[in-house]
Amino acid sequence: MYLNRVNKILLIHIMFSFGLGCASEHSERNNNFIEYKDSTKFLNEFSFKYFQIANKYKKLKKFSIAEDYYKKSIDLDSCNNVVMLNLGNLYSIQGRYIEAKYWYLKIIKRDTTYSPAYFNLAELSNQLHEYENAIEYAHRSINLIKTREDMYPRLITISYAYIMLGSCDSAKKYFEEYKKNVPQSSPAFDFDYLFFYTEQCEDLKSL
């Protein structure tokens, strides 16, 4: 089911920037994962270590322990977007959507330029069947992204929301934009969504 893809996005979406105090600094990325040069993007070494420990426990699916360590990291570095985003993601993958939403909103209340938080809110809104909100948050995220490649999954998010609202024409507009930039020959092409889109639009046309 296509909603499984939404869950996967919340798991792998780690296109984050780190906060030094309450200012923004950017990390390097490699295959959707952060490459840590050092711990200087955290306020102190302990915050960074707690964050690393939390990530390890999350991979082991020991979510309760991971939650504790994310919170310890936040206690020492309360302006760090990436830690708060990861804590929100931890709640999302457990279906604890209200708690996830709290942390995503907490980020953008402080930092209105942080695109990943808006994107995760868009994906979360689709999970909660709040499709108008999903469209709005995805557009806000698009307006803040720095690379064109980061825009493509957001187009899918918007297209999906429009399908669920029963608007195949609007869904098509965003999916066509996606296909124009991500050809089906690309390993990154989302065939799961292509099948979902085709099936759902055919059903809508038959109504």
Side-chain angles (χ1 to χ4, degrees):
M1 189 174 180
Y2 182 69
L3 277 176
N4 289 333
R5 180 195 156 275
V6 179
N7 283 324
K8 289 177 184 177
I9 286 180
L10 288 169
L11 274 166
I12 67 172
H13 184 66
I14 314 181
M15 299 180 284
F16 311 138
S17 59
F18 291 94
L20 181 60
C22 284
S24 290
E25 279 196 26
H26 296 286
S27 62
E28 291 187 354
R29 292 175 53 217
N30 180 31
N31 297 327
N32 291 326
F33 291 93
I34 297 295
E35 288 249 338
Y36 300 111
K37 289 183 178 178
D38 51 43
S39 61
T40 60
K41 294 179 176 63
F42 283 68
L43 278 180
N44 60 69
E45 180 183 356
F46 289 107
S47 176
F48 179 68
K49 293 297 184 184
Y50 287 147
F51 177 68
Q52 289 182 310
I53 293 169
N55 286 340
K56 289 178 180 178
Y57 277 114
K58 185 170 72 171
K59 287 182 180 179
L60 294 171
K61 297 188 178 182
K62 295 184 177 182
F63 298 137
S64 179
I65 301 175
E67 179 183 351
D68 288 341
Y69 277 102
Y70 281 134
K71 288 182 176 179
K72 286 181 179 180
S73 181
I74 291 169
D75 285 342
L76 296 173
D77 194 355
S78 61
C79 294
N80 198 312
N81 290 339
V82 71
V83 184
M84 291 188 283
L85 196 70
N86 270 273
L87 180 57
N89 292 348
L90 181 72
Y91 290 132
S92 292
I93 62 178
Q94 296 176 81
R96 296 165 65 179
Y97 299 134
I98 302 303
E99 291 158 291
K101 188 174 184 179
Y102 168 83
W103 285 100
Y104 299 150
L105 289 173
K106 186 178 178 70
I107 294 170
I108 62 175
K109 183 177 181 180
R110 184 187 64 78
D111 183 357
T112 59
T113 67
Y114 194 61
S115 177
Y118 288 107
F119 179 52
N120 284 13
L121 276 168
E123 293 288 340
L124 188 62
S125 295
N126 274 338
Q127 287 278 15
L128 295 172
H129 312 296
E130 298 172 356
Y131 303 117
E132 292 89 351
N133 288 343
I135 293 166
E136 179 183 351
Y137 285 131
H139 276 297
R140 288 189 184 183
S141 183
I142 287 172
N143 290 336
L144 293 167
I145 59 177
K146 299 184 183 301
T147 66
R148 189 167 180 82
E149 288 74 16
D150 287 341
M151 178 177 68
Y152 305 147
R154 290 149 172 85
L155 296 174
I156 293 286
T157 299
I158 296 171
S159 179
Y160 173 81
Y162 274 120
I163 281 185
M164 300 311 291
L165 288 170
S167 178
C168 191
D169 289 341
S170 295
K172 180 180 180 180
K173 171 186 172 182
Y174 289 95
F175 191 41
E176 289 298 323
E177 179 69 16
Y178 172 81
K179 289 195 294 182
K180 184 170 69 176
N181 291 282
V182 186
Q184 292 189 27
S185 58
S186 168
F189 187 83
D190 193 335
F191 280 99
D192 285 345
Y193 184 73
L194 172 63
F195 299 139
F196 172 85
Y197 166 86
T198 303
E199 180 182 71
Q200 293 298 314
C201 281
E202 286 300 319
D203 288 345
L204 288 172
K205 289 175 184 176
S206 68
L207 294 177

